[in-house]
């Protein structure tokens, strides 16, 4: 099935440049969180283990996606084959990042309805052991499940460059002669439109559309529900006067910060992946509506910018933009105010007890 009005070579080149420029802050942000957390590893608590994994997933996704953009700038015979493996690999690490965000939200639910009840001294060791085993199992699933899905994806037959120029299909050959740069370009979501360059990839395209749509929607809904419950719990605590009087001013500031942090965590997902979801929906609608890809170039520009900035935004929302992270990794002093155990997971001090 041919596609009318595909992106031009200049538009594709501009998108590649945009990816290269905007992925750089994500690389710097994720790498900085990873480095400082590893350097301060012994002085940090369990929460940083999750932050390190999130930074690593975002770093690998951005690095691989940047590599695919470089392929568009450098002509190579292996470009098509490399792209077929690298683009889904970058999405795999983004999927891992999504799952880690869900785990982070799930851990943040602990203050609600007494979920954070402290174990007795006798139960402490066994409880800690169970938590450690559960954490290891959870993180193993978070990393292994998307990787298994990626392997299942790439081990199925791919279209090759020889298939693109096969003389048996005159329409494909014509597309290659007229739009060779389009057919060999390595841009995220460029070939999910069932265009003539990728007719043989219909199954792969469908898997990409369905998987991304379901995962993003699931993460968005689950995180929204959890953070809404956390905010609701904090509001209840405030109205019932359950925060300590000596920390009343600090408690009010913390409540506002909890609302802001939870909102920002949801906004990162919305900002980064809503344009991609819109592109996916439009690619499905084209089966019934004649939509020209070129008319959506502005949407491709927005999508490229939003996805590229995910690593940077995550590094700010989950790490550098939060006082407890900077206090822990930079060795700043904590406020001399009475400590309250009833806190959201992302509001805990990240210092270990040995600090």
């Amino acid at each position: 099935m041919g596609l009318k009005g595909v992106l031009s070579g200049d538009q594709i080149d501009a998108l590649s440049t945009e990816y290269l420029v905007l992925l750089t802050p994500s690389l710097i942000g994720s790498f900085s969180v990873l480095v400082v957390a590893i350097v301060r590893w012994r002085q940090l608590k369990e929460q940083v283990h999750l932050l390190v994994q999130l930074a690593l997933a975002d770093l690998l996704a951005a690095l691989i996606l940047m590599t695919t953009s470089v392929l568009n700038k450098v002509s190579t015979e292996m470009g098509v084959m490399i792209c077929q493996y690298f683009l889904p690999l970058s999405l795999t690490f983004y999927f891992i990042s999504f799952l880690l965000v869900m785990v982070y939200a799930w851990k943040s639910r602990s203050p609600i309805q007494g979920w954070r009840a402290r174990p007795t001294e006798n139960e402490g060791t066994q409880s800690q052991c169970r938590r450690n085993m559960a954490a290891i199992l959870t993180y193993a699933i978070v990393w292994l499940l998307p990787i298994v899905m990626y392997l299942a994806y790439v081990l199925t037959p791919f279209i090759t460059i020889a298939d693109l120029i096969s003389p048996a299909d005159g329409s494909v050959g014509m597309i290659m002669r007229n739009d060779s740069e389009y057919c060999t370009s390595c841009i995220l979501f460029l070939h999910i439109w069932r265009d003539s360059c990728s007719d043989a990839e219909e199954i792969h395209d469908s898997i990409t559309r369905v998987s991304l749509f379901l995962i993003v929607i699931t993460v968005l809904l689950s995180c929204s529900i959890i953070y809404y419950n956390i905010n609701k719990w904090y509001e209840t605590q405030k109205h019932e006067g359950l925060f300590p009087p000596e920390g009343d001013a600090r408690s009010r500031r913390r409540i506002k910060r909890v609302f802001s942090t939870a909102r920002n965590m949801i906004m990162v997902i919305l900002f980064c992946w809503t344009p991609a979801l819109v592109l996916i929906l439009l690619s499905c609608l084209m089966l019934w509506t004649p939509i020209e890809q070129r008319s959506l170039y502005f949407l491709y520009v927005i999508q490229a910018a939003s996805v590229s900035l995910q690593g940077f935004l995550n590094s700010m929302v989950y790490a550098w933009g939060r006082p407890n992270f900077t206090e822990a990794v930079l060795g700043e002093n904590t406020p001399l105010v009475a400590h309250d155990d009833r806190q959201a997971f992302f509001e805990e001090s990240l210092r270990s007890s040995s600090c």
Side-chain angles (χ1 to χ4, degrees):
M1 178 178 177
L3 178 67
K4 298 180 180 179
V6 297
L7 297 184
S8 65
D10 291 339
Q11 290 174 327
I12 291 174
D13 184 68
L15 287 174
S16 300
T17 302
E18 181 183 9
Y19 274 112
L20 290 173
V21 172
L22 295 182
L23 282 169
T24 302
S26 289
L27 289 175
I28 296 173
S30 300
F31 185 72
S32 64
V33 173
L34 193 62
V35 169
V36 297
I38 291 176
V39 171
R40 301 278 295 178
W41 186 270
R42 293 185 178 181
Q43 288 78 35
L44 300 176
K45 293 174 64 175
E46 176 189 357
Q47 185 182 158
V48 177
H49 302 170
L50 184 52
L51 293 178
V52 165
Q53 294 181 72
L54 181 61
L56 179 60
D58 286 335
L59 177 65
L60 292 175
L63 187 61
I64 294 170
L65 193 57
M66 179 175 282
T67 302
T68 64
S69 299
V70 173
L71 290 176
N72 294 321
K73 299 289 187 177
V74 180
S75 299
T76 172
E77 295 181 359
M78 298 293 291
V80 173
M81 182 175 296
I82 295 174
C83 181
Q84 289 169 343
Y85 288 96
F86 273 37
L87 277 184
L89 185 58
S90 66
L91 287 177
T92 297
F93 286 114
Y94 279 125
F95 289 170
I96 293 174
S97 178
F98 294 153
L99 294 178
L100 290 170
V101 167
M102 285 187 64
V103 172
Y104 198 94
W106 180 253
K107 286 180 174 291
S108 296
R109 92 209 188 291
S110 53
I112 305 172
Q113 296 178 350
W115 288 342
R116 175 178 264 192
R118 300 294 184 184
T120 63
E121 185 175 348
N122 294 333
E123 297 173 341
T125 303
Q126 294 181 354
S127 178
Q128 183 63 37
C129 182
R130 286 194 297 268
R131 286 197 298 269
N132 290 340
M133 292 299 296
I136 292 174
L137 179 60
T138 300
Y139 295 146
I141 293 174
V142 164
W143 284 88
L144 291 178
L145 180 60
I147 291 176
V148 169
M149 293 174 60
Y150 169 75
L151 292 176
Y153 181 93
V154 299
L155 290 178
T156 55
F158 272 116
I159 185 174
T160 63
I161 190 66
D163 297 325
L164 289 174
I165 60 176
S166 173
D169 190 342
S171 63
V172 173
M174 181 65 67
I175 288 290
M176 278 299 299
R177 286 191 294 272
N178 295 337
D179 294 290
S180 59
E181 185 172 355
Y182 172 83
C183 288
T184 57
S185 295
C186 195
I187 295 290
L188 201 60
F189 307 126
L190 184 67
H191 297 294
I192 61 172
W193 293 76
R194 298 184 182 181
D195 52 81
S196 299
C197 298
S198 56
D199 282 342
E201 291 295 279
E202 183 174 340
I203 295 178
H204 282 147
D205 293 342
S206 299
I207 292 174
T208 300
R209 283 193 292 262
V210 173
S211 298
L212 183 63
F213 189 84
L214 291 179
I215 290 176
V216 173
I217 294 299
T218 300
V219 171
L220 188 60
L221 289 178
S222 60
C223 291
S224 297
I225 293 172
I226 291 173
Y227 289 133
Y228 170 78
N229 288 333
I230 291 175
N231 290 343
K232 187 177 180 180
W233 181 86
Y234 264 82
E235 284 285 2
T236 302
Q237 299 288 302
K238 182 179 68 172
H239 291 316
E240 294 181 0
L242 297 180
F243 290 110
E246 65 273 17
D248 185 61
R250 178 171 176 253
S251 296
R252 286 196 296 270
R253 289 195 300 269
R254 191 174 64 197
I255 289 174
K256 293 180 181 179
R257 190 166 63 237
V258 166
F259 294 160
S260 176
T261 302
R263 181 185 65 246
N264 291 341
M265 290 173 176
I266 299 299
M267 291 304 297
V268 167
I269 303 174
L270 278 173
F271 173 81
C272 292
W273 291 96
T274 297
L277 294 182
V278 173
L279 274 177
I280 291 173
L281 289 176
L282 291 176
S283 70
C284 296
L285 290 177
M286 72 156 293
L287 295 175
W288 303 280
T289 306
I291 301 176
E292 289 191 353
Q293 189 184 45
R294 189 172 297 176
S295 66
L296 300 175
Y297 173 67
F298 185 67
L299 183 57
Y300 269 96
V301 172
I302 297 175
Q303 176 268 319
S306 59
V307 169
S308 299
L309 291 173
Q310 175 175 308
F312 171 75
L313 294 176
N314 277 345
S315 69
M316 296 303 298
V317 171
Y318 289 88
W320 293 117
R322 290 171 38 222
N324 55 343
F325 180 82
T326 55
E327 289 168 1
V329 300
L330 300 179
E332 298 176 1
N333 294 327
T334 55
L336 298 177
V337 181
H339 178 66
D340 180 11
D341 284 338
R342 296 168 299 177
Q343 301 182 62
F345 181 67
F346 48 77
E347 282 293 293
E348 288 182 332
S349 171
L350 273 66
R351 292 176 181 272
S352 66
S353 57
S354 61
C355 225

